[in-house]
Amino acid sequence: MTQAFLIIAGVLAMGLFFKLPAVLRGGRNPLARQVTGLLVLACCVFVFAAPSSIIAMNDLTGITNFSAPWVYSLLTGFCASCLLLIVKWRGGRRLRRATWWVYGSYGTLLTAVWVCFFLGDHHIERVRDFDTYYANTPWLREMIVLYLLGHTVAVVITSVLLWTWEPRVRGTGWLRAGVVLLGIGYALNLGFDVAKFTPVIARWTGRSDLDWMSTQLAPPIAILVGLLIALGFLLPHAGEQMAQRWAAQTEYVALGALNRALHEVPTASAPVALGRFASLDMRLTYRKTFIRDALRLLEPRLDLAQRDRDREFHLSRGTSHAKAKALADAMAISAAVARMSRPDSTDAAARTLRPASDGLGDLVPISRALRNLSRADAVRGNAGHPESVTS
C-alpha cells in the first residue's frame, strides 16, 4: 500500500512539474497559484497517508497517532483547495462571498479537528484502522465525523460544479478531457466517503464486521481517485504540449523536401549546423528562416505566368484548388532553381519571367507537392517549357 500511495504522489508531482512554468510565467495569477497549492496538498496527502509515513510521523513528533489529525488536515485542506479552484474557475458575481465561505468554514473545521484530537484519549497507536478503532471514543469520534463530513460536502459541491461546467468546455480538446477526468475522480470520492462512513456508523451500533470497508476498500478507491485527479490536472498541460510538439515535428519533416530543393540556390545563406542537442523549435525556426530567405532570393526567377497555367492544368484534371496551387508552386520553384544553375542565366533575363501575380502559397503544401511530384512533372518543370501544359 505504501508503494501505491507514493506512486500516486509521484504522478501528482509530475502534474506539478508541468504546471510550474505556467506559475512562474503567470506571476500573480491567482488560478495558477491555486492549482499549484492544490497539487502540493494532493502530493502531501498521499505521502503522509502511506503506512510507513504514519509510523515515521508518530515517532518523529513523539505523539501517539499524531498522523491522524495531520492527514485529516491535509485532506481537508485539499478538499477546500479543490472547491476554491472550481469556484474561481467558474467566476460569477458571488465569487468573493463563496471564497470567504470556503475559508471560514474549512478553517473552522481544521481548528475543530485539532481541538478534538487533543481532548480525546488516543494513547493506542492505530496505523490502518484509526477511524473504526476510535469510532466510539469521546472527542475522537467527533473529530472523525467532522473530517468525513467536510470531505463529503466538498466532494459533492465540487462534483456538481464540475459536471455543470462540462458543457461549457466542450470542443476545447484537452481541457474538456481534464474536466471529465476530474469529474469522474471527484464522483468516485463519494465511494471513498461511503467506505469510511459505513463502518464508523456500524461501530456506533456495536458492529465491527464492516471494518474491512475502511481498511481494505477505501484505500484502493483513494488511489484510483488520486490517479484520476492527477491525470485531470496533468492531461490539459501535457496533452497540449505533446500536440504542439507533434505539430512542430510534422511541420519540420514536411518542409524537408523544400529545404533540400533550395540547397542549390547559390546565393542563399547556408543552413546552420545546430547540433544533435538543438531543440525542435530551434531547428524548425532555422529551417523556415532558410527556406524563406532562399525563396526571397529566388523570387525574381519565378515564372508565375507558367505557374498559373500549371495550376489551371491540374484543376482541369479534377485536382482540388489547394493541391493544384501547391503543385504549381512546387513546379515553379523547381524550374527557377534549374534556371539559376544554368550558366546562360542572367538576372536581366530572369526578371522578365516575373509577371504581376499573387505570391506563393503555404510552405508545407508546396514541400509535400515537391516530394510527391511525378517524374514527368519534375522533368517538365526543370525543362522550363511554358507551352508544355497548355499544348
Side-chain angles (χ1 to χ4, degrees):
M1 191 61 68
T2 296
Q3 186 176 7
F5 273 52
L6 294 180
I7 290 174
I8 299 301
V11 175
L12 288 164
M14 189 181 302
L16 180 62
F17 172 78
F18 276 100
K19 192 62 185 175
L20 272 180
V23 175
L24 296 177
R25 290 194 303 267
R28 298 183 178 181
N29 186 342
L31 285 179
R33 295 200 307 269
Q34 191 73 44
V35 173
T36 302
L38 186 149
L39 290 174
V40 170
L41 283 172
C43 288
C44 290
V45 167
F46 281 95
V47 168
F48 287 102
S52 60
S53 300
I54 291 175
I55 297 173
M57 177 66 72
N58 292 339
D59 292 341
L60 181 65
T61 59
I63 301 175
T64 307
N65 290 315
F66 180 87
S67 283
W70 174 249
V71 173
Y72 295 165
S73 298
L74 291 173
L75 187 58
T76 302
F78 171 73
C79 293
S81 184
C82 292
L83 198 51
L84 277 175
L85 178 61
I86 301 302
V87 168
K88 291 180 179 179
W89 261 347
R90 289 172 59 91
R93 292 178 297 178
R94 300 181 179 180
L95 174 60
R96 183 181 296 272
R97 181 184 301 178
T99 301
W100 282 112
W101 179 86
V102 173
Y103 280 129
S105 57
Y106 279 88
T108 303
L109 179 62
L110 283 174
T111 303
V113 164
W114 284 99
V115 169
C116 289
F117 175 74
F118 284 110
L119 290 176
D121 180 8
H122 48 81
H123 66 280
I124 299 177
E125 186 177 51
R126 310 301 297 187
V127 176
R128 298 179 181 271
D129 61 346
F130 182 92
D131 294 348
T132 53
Y133 185 84
Y134 287 105
N136 288 312
T137 303
W139 295 110
L140 298 183
R141 172 184 57 222
E142 286 75 12
M143 180 188 74
I144 295 167
V145 171
L146 281 174
Y147 106 83
L148 286 176
L149 280 177
H151 185 269
T152 303
V153 170
V155 165
V156 170
I157 296 176
T158 305
S159 298
V160 171
L161 291 177
L162 279 169
W163 287 113
T164 55
W165 188 36
E166 187 272 337
R168 296 169 54 185
V169 296
R170 288 178 183 172
T172 57
W174 293 108
L175 176 60
R176 180 179 181 271
V179 170
V180 170
L181 285 175
L182 287 173
I184 296 173
Y186 285 114
L188 284 177
N189 245 332
L190 292 174
F192 173 84
D193 292 323
V194 171
K196 283 290 188 179
F197 249 130
T198 301
V200 169
I201 296 174
R203 281 277 187 159
W204 296 347
T205 62
R207 297 178 55 185
S208 60
D209 57 324
L210 296 178
D211 289 1
W212 64 271
M213 295 183 67
S214 179
T215 57
Q216 299 179 32
L217 179 60
I221 295 177
I223 291 172
L224 179 58
V225 167
L227 181 61
L228 289 173
I229 291 177
L231 290 176
F233 284 110
L234 177 63
L235 194 60
H237 305 287
E240 191 65 30
Q241 288 187 14
M242 287 188 296
Q244 292 175 358
R245 183 172 181 81
W246 177 258
Q249 181 66 39
T250 301
E251 185 178 9
Y252 181 81
V253 173
L255 290 174
L258 186 56
N259 183 70
R260 289 188 295 272
L262 293 174
H263 277 192
E264 300 179 20
V265 179
T267 54
S269 57
V272 179
L274 298 176
R276 60 185 300 182
F277 296 110
S279 67
L280 176 61
D281 290 339
M282 183 178 294
R283 287 185 282 124
L284 177 60
T285 298
Y286 273 103
R287 175 164 286 189
K288 291 167 71 173
T289 300
F290 167 73
I291 289 174
R292 290 195 182 101
D293 288 345
L295 288 177
R296 191 177 298 113
L297 293 168
L298 193 66
E299 187 178 1
R301 299 178 179 275
L302 292 175
D303 188 346
L304 298 183
Q306 176 62 38
R307 190 277 309 271
D308 293 339
R309 290 193 292 270
D310 287 342
R311 181 175 56 192
E312 293 301 323
F313 170 76
H314 287 293
L315 288 172
S316 68
R317 297 177 60 183
T319 307
S320 67
H321 184 274
K323 187 175 181 180
K325 180 172 175 44
L327 284 168
D329 288 343
M331 293 169 65
I333 291 172
S334 180
V337 172
R339 292 189 195 97
M340 180 171 284
S341 64
R342 288 203 298 267
D344 58 341
S345 175
T346 62
D347 289 341
R351 280 193 291 269
T352 64
L353 297 174
R354 187 175 64 174
S357 180
D358 58 323
L360 298 172
D362 293 337
L363 298 181
V364 170
I366 295 174
S367 184
R368 288 172 175 162
L370 269 172
R371 186 181 58 196
N372 297 326
L373 276 177
S374 67
R375 184 178 299 276
D377 284 340
V379 170
R380 185 185 65 213
N382 287 331
H385 293 160
E387 73 279 6
S388 60
V389 171
T390 57
S391 61

